[in-house]
């Protein structure tokens, strides 16, 4: 009798784990669909002395965009930039293959592997959270993006 209950318990655990894996894959697919489109950089905040401060964006930074495309069940991202006097020089990166999992996405840009956390605020706004150096200190930075219409 004990063996029967042990086998039944083991089967239930296996079934339970398998259903969670399928749900996780579906959530990642939904997240990939969420990101699909063009996103414009609208705000940068950072933490200094325990307070959140807004970084003043210069005009060229306001033209920075992330473009996500879904192709052959893969997510592709391209970054666009504006530089030069009056931000008239436009450039873009090569396409990156992006892996979206949980609350983060990872990709390889040139020879750097990047893993960045994201936070979804609404259907049309999300942010990327990472650490960088501002004013000589490593700090948490949050870049806010808005869906381009």
């Amino acid at each position: 009798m004990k063996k029967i209950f042990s086998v039944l318990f083991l089967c239930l655990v296996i079934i339970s784990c398998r259903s969670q894996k399928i749900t996780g894959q579906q959530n990642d697919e939904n997240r990939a669909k969420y990101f699909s489109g063009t996103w414009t950089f609208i705000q940068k905040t950072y933490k200094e002395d325990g307070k959140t401060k807004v970084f003043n964006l210069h005009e060229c930074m306001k033209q920075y965009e992330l473009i996500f495309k879904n192709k052959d069940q893969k997510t592709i991202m391209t970054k666009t930039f504006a530089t030069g006097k009056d931000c008239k020089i436009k450039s873009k990166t090569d396409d990156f293959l992006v892996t979206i999992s949980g609350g983060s996405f990872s990709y390889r840009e040139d020879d750097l592997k990047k893993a960045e956390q994201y936070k979804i605020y609404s259907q049309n706004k999300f942010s990327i959270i990472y650490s960088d150096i501002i004013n000589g200190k490593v700090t948490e930075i949050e870049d806010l993006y808005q869906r381009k219409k």
Side-chain angles (χ1 to χ4, degrees):
M1 190 74 158
K2 245 183 177 177
K3 286 184 180 185
I4 293 173
F5 283 121
S6 297
V7 170
L8 284 173
F9 179 74
L10 181 62
C11 290
L12 286 173
V13 169
I14 291 170
I15 291 170
S16 172
C17 291
R18 183 166 286 204
S19 67
Q20 288 176 355
K21 185 176 182 181
I22 292 169
T23 302
Q25 288 172 345
Q26 289 172 342
N27 285 338
D28 290 345
E29 289 172 13
N30 289 338
R31 287 184 192 105
K33 288 177 185 174
Y34 168 82
F35 286 109
S36 185
T38 302
W39 298 84
T40 304
F41 183 46
I42 59 170
Q43 185 179 38
K44 179 186 288 280
T45 59
Y46 63 98
K47 298 202 178 192
E48 185 175 74
D49 300 326
K51 296 179 184 176
T52 300
K53 296 186 176 185
V54 177
F55 184 86
N56 291 327
L57 301 178
H58 55 75
E59 286 307 309
C60 293
M61 291 176 79
K62 293 176 184 177
Q63 295 181 38
Y64 182 51
E65 293 179 334
L66 299 178
I67 302 165
F68 290 89
K69 298 175 190 168
N70 295 315
K71 190 175 189 180
D72 299 327
Q73 297 182 340
K74 295 179 182 176
T75 302
I76 307 294
M77 178 177 65
T78 306
K79 296 179 181 182
T80 64
F81 304 90
T83 58
K85 188 175 182 181
D86 298 327
C87 308
K88 292 187 180 192
I89 300 171
K90 308 289 184 189
S91 59
K92 68 177 192 167
T93 63
D94 291 333
D95 292 343
F96 308 119
L97 179 62
V98 178
T99 303
I100 300 171
S101 179
S104 67
F105 48 82
S106 58
Y107 57 95
R108 185 174 297 279
E109 184 175 3
D110 297 324
D111 61 344
L112 297 174
K113 182 172 182 175
K114 295 190 175 188
E116 299 174 323
Q117 301 295 313
Y118 67 83
K119 187 187 299 183
I120 295 174
Y121 286 99
S122 70
Q123 187 60 31
N124 295 315
K125 284 189 183 174
F126 85 96
S127 67
I128 297 174
I129 303 161
Y130 59 98
S131 293
D132 205 345
I133 298 172
I134 292 184
N135 300 329
K137 297 178 185 176
V138 175
T139 187
E140 181 180 285
I141 299 171
E142 184 171 12
D143 291 348
L144 187 64
Y145 292 86
Q146 183 172 322
R147 188 181 301 275
K148 190 173 184 177
K149 296 181 181 184

